């Protein structure tokens, strides 16, 4: 009997309805990504850590990363995230890429070996979607080739950046240039010389009566005079070298007018186009990260060296239930992410807004819970560098904030759901009217209680 192309460990957790939608090229790429991560990345985790730890080259991309990127590129694994409707795309749908991204998530930096890491994914898609042919040649192509990296500069320390209409960094037109003044947080470190430019969102028309048209997006080369990196921002103690997260001051930074993207006042249109896919890329990878953490927990449960009260850790009823609950939560979360990706493919990013928000809310919260449970099974060791669990938990916690805090997404979902209340109110009235008719026909006294047919104000 001939084996199916899907008889491969890469497809073990992929639901049948997703398997049925995978194209031949997707099946091939998913297998290749799996083999690359399992044989090239995971065994090299300690080697990568050792290179990053070197003080002399901490803010320089590691030789090992360059080596693996070249290998991935030769195997056709670069830029898999770019949806197939872009001419630069390798040909995968969002749904197909989500299967690849989950596998990449098993190692935090595996995504970077395949040029599928944040912020590059969002920036590449932004440039591919909104830039002129000239801008694409100058700024997009080096990112696609992997010869340069970039950063996204939006968050600010002096305003509530979760309400992006408050972004206050000023972009002022002066002849054939824009002059930029303000403070920014979280753009990747300039200390890494491979970071060649920022995609910056700022306020270009502060008096515009339409607050959604006040902001613009410009490309700012990192070597432009007037940009100062104040410090690298640690994330819960981790400096995330060699990319990092910088704090910046822009003082009279001048860029040519041809560096504006799409035109003045178009920043929100651009940001939404960028953030939709990027938001679920994080979630896709978190599923893979949780699977890796879960595997470590299973190993701990059967470790014969760890036998409190003469029993393996996995023999305790509470831990058996803990393992079961983690399995259920990871599998449920995967379905949420795959649904979001499929919705984007079928209906577009804008129509998929709810599914994207659902992923952004549920998956990071699930991941922090699951990884926390895995750390608990490891006891004191689970909090140390003996396992990758603390770094995994930190990344999951970070994603609750990245690309918009989950509370903002909850607000969006709740607000949209409340808009549907009128439909259900009218439906309840119809239930009531039908009930009264039926009661009259049966000669039954009409009740005035609240229940499935509530009495509603007219």
């Amino acid at each position: 009997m001939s084996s199916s192309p899907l008889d491969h460990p890469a497809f073990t957790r992929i639901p049948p309805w997703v398997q049925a939608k995978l194209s031949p090229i997707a099946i091939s790429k998913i297998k290749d990504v799996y083999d690359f991560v399992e044989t090239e990345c995971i065994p090299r985790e300690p080697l990568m850590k050792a290179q990053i730890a070197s003080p002399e080259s901490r803010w320089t991309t590691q030789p090992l990363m360059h080596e693996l990127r070249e290998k991935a590129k030769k195997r056709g694994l670069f830029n898999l995230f770019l949806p197939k409707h872009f001419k630069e795309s390798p040909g995968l749908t969002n749904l197909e890429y989500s299967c690849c991204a989950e596998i990449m998530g098993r190692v935090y930096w595996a995504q970077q070996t395949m040029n599928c890491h944040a912020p590059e994914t969002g920036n590449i898609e932004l440039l591919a979607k909104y830039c002129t042919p000239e801008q694409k040649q100058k700024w997009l192509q080096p990112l696609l080739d992997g010869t340069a990296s970039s950063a996204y500069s939006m968050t600010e320390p002096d305003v509530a950046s979760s309400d992006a209409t408050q972004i206050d960094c000023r972009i002022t037109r002066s002849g054939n240039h824009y002059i930029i003044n303000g403070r920014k947080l979280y753009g990747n470190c300039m200390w890494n010389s491979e970071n060649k430019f920022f995609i910056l969102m700022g306020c270009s028309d502060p008096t515009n009566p339409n607050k959604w048209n006040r902001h613009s997006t410009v490309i700012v080369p990192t070597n432009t005079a007037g940009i100062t990196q104040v410090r690298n921002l640690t994330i819960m103690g981790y400096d995330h070298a060699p990319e990092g997260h910088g704090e910046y001051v822009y003082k009279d930074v001048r860029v040519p007018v041809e560096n504006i993207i799409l035109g003045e006042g178009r920043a929100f249109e651009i940001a939404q186009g960028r953030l939709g896919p990027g938001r679920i890329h994080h979630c896709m990878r978190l599923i893979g990260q949780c699977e890796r953490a879960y595997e470590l927990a299973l190993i701990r449960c059967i470790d014969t060296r760890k036998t409190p009260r003469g029993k393996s850790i996995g023999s305790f009823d509470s831990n058996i239930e803990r393992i079961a609950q983690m399995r259920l939560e990871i599998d449920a979360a995967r379905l949420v992410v795959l649904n979001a990706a499929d919705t984007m493919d079928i209906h577009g990013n804008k129509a998929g807004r709810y599914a994207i928000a659902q992923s952004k809310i549920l998956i990071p919260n699930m991941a922090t819970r699951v990884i926390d449970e895995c750390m608990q099974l490891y006891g004191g060791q689970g909090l140390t560098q003996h396992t990758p669990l603390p770094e995994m938990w930190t990344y999951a916690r970070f994603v609750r904030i990245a690309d918009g805090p989950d509370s903002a997404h909850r607000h969006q979902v709740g607000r949209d759901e409340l808009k549907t209340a009128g439909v259900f109110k009218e439906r309840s009235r119809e239930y009531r009217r039908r009930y009264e008719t039926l009661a009259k026909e049966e000669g039954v006294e009409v009740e005035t209680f609240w229940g499935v047919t509530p009495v509603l104000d007219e």
Side-chain angles (χ1 to χ4, degrees):
M1 183 182 293
S2 60
S3 63
S4 163
L6 299 175
D7 290 337
H8 186 281
F11 303 98
T12 301
R13 300 291 183 188
I14 299 177
W17 70 268
V18 177
Q19 293 184 14
K21 291 190 172 192
L22 298 177
S23 64
I25 187 174
I27 292 171
S28 175
K29 294 296 184 187
I30 293 167
K31 288 180 180 178
D32 289 346
V33 169
Y34 180 91
D35 293 339
F36 190 81
V37 171
E38 292 294 310
T39 63
E40 301 286 355
C41 296
I42 293 178
R44 287 181 168 85
E45 280 183 302
L47 302 178
M48 188 69 79
K49 272 188 172 293
Q51 289 191 4
I52 294 173
S54 173
E56 298 80 18
S57 57
R58 188 153 184 79
W59 298 101
T60 302
T61 302
Q62 305 81 10
L64 179 54
M65 178 58 71
H66 285 301
E67 175 190 331
L68 290 172
R69 282 169 67 82
E70 282 302 313
K71 284 185 177 182
K73 194 173 183 180
K74 288 177 181 177
R75 296 186 192 183
L77 300 180
F78 248 42
N79 306 318
L80 296 177
F81 68 92
L82 198 57
K84 63 189 303 181
H85 55 268
F86 291 104
K87 68 181 183 66
E88 300 89 353
S89 169
L92 302 185
T93 64
N94 283 301
L95 182 64
E96 292 168 338
Y97 173 66
S98 69
C99 300
C100 296
E102 176 179 328
I103 298 166
M104 294 176 198
R106 292 175 60 79
V107 180
Y108 176 76
W109 45 261
Q111 53 182 308
Q112 190 174 351
T113 66
M114 290 170 260
N115 215 39
C116 292
H117 56 297
E120 231 65 88
T121 53
N123 289 350
I124 287 174
E125 188 159 351
L126 182 158
L127 296 170
K129 187 173 184 178
Y130 297 113
C131 281
T132 64
E134 294 76 20
Q135 289 174 325
K136 288 182 180 182
Q137 184 60 37
K138 185 173 183 179
W139 306 109
L140 173 61
Q141 197 58 50
L143 299 187
L144 291 171
D145 294 340
T147 58
S149 66
S150 62
Y152 192 65
S153 192
M154 177 178 175
T155 304
E156 296 181 10
D158 300 320
V159 298
S161 298
S162 58
D163 175 5
T165 62
Q166 295 188 28
I167 295 297
D168 194 47
C169 181
R170 294 306 168 92
I171 302 174
T172 307
R173 178 76 180 256
S174 177
N176 292 326
H177 288 82
Y178 289 108
I179 301 175
I180 304 167
N181 285 281
R183 297 174 65 201
K184 291 286 186 181
L185 301 179
Y186 280 112
N188 288 28
C189 273
M190 286 171 51
W191 297 344
N192 188 321
S193 61
E194 293 183 15
N195 182 9
K196 298 301 183 183
F197 63 91
F198 297 102
I199 296 177
L200 179 140
M201 178 179 176
C203 184
S204 56
D205 188 6
T207 60
N208 191 312
N210 185 343
K211 64 181 180 180
W212 303 106
N213 293 335
R214 293 174 185 169
H215 296 78
S216 300
T217 300
V218 294
I219 297 170
V220 185
T222 53
N223 62 359
T224 307
I227 307 176
T228 301
Q229 181 174 330
V230 178
R231 61 179 62 86
N232 177 61
L233 301 170
T234 60
I235 305 298
M236 303 184 79
Y238 293 100
D239 64 8
H240 285 259
E243 289 79 33
H245 301 88
E247 177 182 341
Y248 295 97
V249 173
Y250 290 78
K251 177 67 174 177
D252 295 329
V253 175
R254 299 174 67 90
V255 296
V257 293
E258 56 263 30
N259 281 22
I260 196 163
I261 299 177
L262 205 59
E264 293 185 15
R266 308 288 292 276
F268 277 95
E269 177 182 349
I270 293 167
Q272 288 307 308
R274 177 190 186 277
L275 290 175
R279 281 171 176 150
I280 71 163
H281 289 170
H282 278 302
C283 296
M284 294 168 181
R285 291 190 293 267
L286 280 175
I287 300 296
Q289 181 171 272
C290 286
E291 286 286 1
R292 181 89 185 282
Y294 182 75
E295 291 168 11
L296 292 173
L298 290 175
I299 293 169
R300 183 69 163 193
C301 283
I302 62 170
D303 189 341
T304 56
R305 300 168 303 166
K306 305 290 183 177
T307 54
R309 297 197 293 278
K311 297 169 62 176
S312 69
I313 290 173
S315 298
F316 290 89
D317 288 345
S318 60
N319 289 335
I320 292 172
E321 292 186 9
R322 179 178 277 149
I323 289 294
Q325 186 63 31
M326 288 192 287
R327 178 74 271 153
L328 296 172
E329 290 194 29
I330 296 170
D331 288 346
R334 178 183 291 106
L335 293 175
V336 171
V337 176
L338 293 172
N339 174 67
D342 199 32
T343 301
M344 290 164 62
D345 288 332
I346 296 171
H347 300 295
N349 295 353
K350 187 174 182 180
R353 185 177 69 166
Y354 168 71
I356 293 169
Q358 187 183 44
S359 293
K360 180 64 174 64
I361 295 164
L362 293 175
I363 278 63
N365 278 280
M366 177 281 299
T368 55
R369 286 196 308 273
V370 165
I371 298 166
D372 185 78
E373 292 282 25
C374 294
M375 287 193 289
Q376 196 72 12
L377 285 167
Y378 270 82
Q381 270 187 308
L383 306 177
T384 73
Q385 69 269 40
H386 283 191
T387 76
L389 294 172
E391 292 173 82
M392 289 178 174
W393 187 91
T394 299
Y395 173 54
R397 184 62 185 84
F398 168 74
V399 176
R400 284 190 60 193
I401 298 290
D403 296 337
D406 51 11
S407 54
H409 293 284
R410 282 194 182 91
H411 180 78
Q412 171 197 307
V413 170
R415 185 182 56 202
D416 289 348
E417 287 298 304
L418 284 170
K419 291 177 183 177
T420 70
V423 173
F424 299 113
K425 182 177 180 179
E426 183 53 42
R427 186 183 297 178
S428 290
R429 283 175 173 161
E430 184 56 38
Y431 293 154
R432 180 71 186 183
R433 286 191 287 266
R434 179 64 176 154
Y435 159 66
E436 289 176 352
T437 299
L438 293 171
K440 185 176 181 180
E441 291 174 356
E442 297 292 331
V444 176
E445 183 180 352
V446 175
E447 296 282 357
T448 59
F449 58 81
W450 286 83
V452 293
T453 54
V455 178
L456 298 169
D457 58 296
E458 295 298 330

